[in-house]
Amino acid sequence: MPGAAPLNRPEAGALLAWYDRHRRRLPWRALPGEKADPYRVWLSEIMLQQTTTVAAAPYFLRFLTRFPDVAALAGAPVEEVLKLWAGLGYYARARNLHACAKAVMDRHHGIFPSSEAELLTLPGIGPYTAAAVAAIAFDLKATPMDGNWERVVARLFAVEEPLPGSKPRLRTLSGTLTPDERPGDFAQAVMDLGATICTPKRPACVLCPWATACEARAKGIQDSLPRKAAKPAKPERFGAAFWARRPDGAILLRRRPPKGLLGGMTELPTTPWGPRLDRDTVLTQAPFPADWRIRTGVVTHVFSHFALTLEVFAADLPQTAVAPEGAWWAAPASIDSEALPSVFRKAVELARR
DNA sequence: GAGGCGTGGGG
DNA sequence: TCCCCAAGCCT
């Protein structure tokens, strides 16, 4: 193509120099020259799985206050970990977090292993997180390929094959970029670049340290990369939750099954979630026979794989009412500190109105 | 390996 | 309003 400027190679040094000037200040990040704490790096990486830095930050700070090190976390009951995690989503992460802390105590005497292979054997740590901890906590040469990497590399090399099929190719290309020096900073630099410059929509190419190396920019197709397969529409489900109240104000709560959706979390007693049911059928699922009154309005909530519409029924029960198996009466003041997922916080809010 | 698994914010 | 998205893992 005569007249077109030849592309530079994407040099790690150029990105690291940009990082040294523009690194984001994040609560889990060590200061320049400071040694990283593997516990904090691991904790942050678990929280950041499919989660924005803005959402994770307050949870990270609360966890660090309550569980300053891996021994404190391992020694706590899992229920307390779930309470602190409530609202952050993907609750298997919290269960695995606790299991991982115990494994580090039992198998590694409380010291996080540094190799990707050993990290991979721990609960909740997959290929991405193993590489991230190895790189960021131990400055080992590893390539934690997340959504940021995929986007940056897809654009840098103008990979037009859609995700997820292009993943192996993106991985190969990523590996060629990682330098021997400062691999931890480099990994964080790519993430910062993806979060602030090479964004999903309208990337700020004029500010990008790799702009002159970017094949997608040269072709003018950066906005359309990486390509992704279209997602199917979310199915709709319906259900009802029950707000049973005693004269002393206590509310009936229940523990969900230990695995699956919202596994191990606290809930208001609820029907199963599926096709819409008529009122009589719904009330056969109530925890007690009672004078159930439907609340005005509904709770709507979107999960990862379906959308839920929840009705709320309320009834006053006698002080002598015995909580069914797996349920208990909770003092009103204790409800806000329960391990209630967001969908049930919405239901509580509706019931209290 | 395809699907289950949350949530809140932004365009 | 709707759709997309965010530092994935497990089965």
Side-chain angles (χ1 to χ4, degrees):
Chain A
M1 209 198 292
L7 288 172
N8 296 328
R9 290 182 55 81
E11 300 292 349
L15 185 61
L16 283 166
W18 171 84
Y19 181 69
D20 288 336
R21 282 180 282 120
H22 299 288
R23 59 159 44 216
R24 304 168 75 194
R25 283 183 286 278
L26 298 167
W28 42 83
R29 198 169 264 184
L31 297 172
E34 200 176 65
K35 201 175 167 83
D37 175 1
Y39 171 69
R40 298 184 190 205
V41 172
W42 162 74
L43 177 60
S44 68
E45 288 300 339
I46 302 299
M47 289 185 168
L48 288 165
Q49 289 167 7
Q50 298 289 283
T51 305
T52 59
T53 56
V54 171
Y59 284 84
F60 175 81
L61 294 171
R62 284 197 288 271
F63 264 74
L64 209 56
T65 299
R66 175 62 188 82
F67 309 118
D69 52 42
V70 66
L73 180 55
V78 67
E79 291 78 14
E80 194 171 346
V81 179
L82 292 177
K83 281 183 182 180
L84 221 50
W85 197 277
L88 196 54
Y90 284 138
Y91 297 99
R93 292 185 296 172
R95 304 194 298 269
N96 286 329
L97 183 84
H98 188 245
C100 184
K102 293 210 282 192
V104 168
M105 293 305 296
D106 294 346
R107 286 153 50 181
H108 300 282
H109 311 289
I111 308 296
F112 274 89
S114 59
S115 75
E116 285 185 76
E118 282 184 287
L119 288 163
L120 259 178
T121 69
L122 293 166
I125 297 186
Y128 163 77
T129 305
V133 172
I136 299 171
F138 299 104
D139 207 26
L140 297 175
K141 188 172 179 179
T143 305
M145 200 181 73
D146 67 338
N148 288 308
W149 276 83
E150 289 175 358
R151 188 169 58 255
V152 168
V153 174
R155 287 173 175 167
L156 209 45
F157 298 99
V159 175
E160 298 191 45
E161 181 190 357
L163 285 166
S166 56
K167 254 179 207 228
R169 171 154 178 73
L170 294 176
R171 171 160 291 291
T172 302
L173 291 168
S174 300
T176 67
L177 295 174
T178 304
D180 294 325
E181 302 293 321
R182 302 177 64 190
D185 282 345
F186 183 78
Q188 296 177 91
V190 175
M191 294 176 200
D192 278 14
L193 188 72
T196 64
I197 305 288
C198 195
T199 49
K201 293 173 185 175
R202 299 183 53 79
C205 299
V206 288
L207 302 177
C208 180
W210 274 347
T212 59
C214 185
E215 201 172 322
R217 180 172 181 258
K219 292 181 173 175
I221 59 172
Q222 66 272 25
D223 284 42
S224 68
L225 297 184
R227 296 191 181 145
K228 293 184 181 181
K231 289 173 187 174
K234 285 186 183 180
E236 250 187 306
R237 296 186 196 175
F238 301 88
F242 298 100
W243 180 255
R245 191 178 49 199
R246 280 194 325 203
D248 66 355
I251 303 301
L252 190 71
L253 297 181
R254 204 164 70 174
R255 182 89 56 217
R256 291 180 63 86
K259 291 184 178 179
L261 183 67
L262 310 178
M265 301 295 286
T266 302
E267 66 174 3
L268 294 181
T270 173
T271 65
W273 299 339
R276 193 191 288 277
L277 302 175
D278 61 67
R279 178 190 168 97
D280 288 347
T281 310
V282 164
L283 293 188
T284 64
Q285 310 275 338
F288 308 102
D291 180 23
W292 292 103
R293 308 291 182 90
I294 191 165
R295 283 281 194 265
T296 302
V298 292
V299 168
T300 59
H301 192 79
V302 180
F303 290 94
S304 53
H305 54 299
F306 67 93
L308 177 67
T309 301
L310 204 55
E311 295 179 317
V312 177
F313 287 85
D316 290 305
L317 277 296
Q319 190 67 25
T320 53
V322 176
E325 179 69 27
W328 67 92
W329 292 101
S334 72
I335 291 180
D336 293 336
S337 62
E338 283 285 348
L340 275 179
S342 293
V343 60
F344 287 107
R345 297 207 178 257
K346 291 182 187 177
V348 166
E349 191 184 350
L350 176 58
R352 279 174 169 163
R353 277 218 297 265

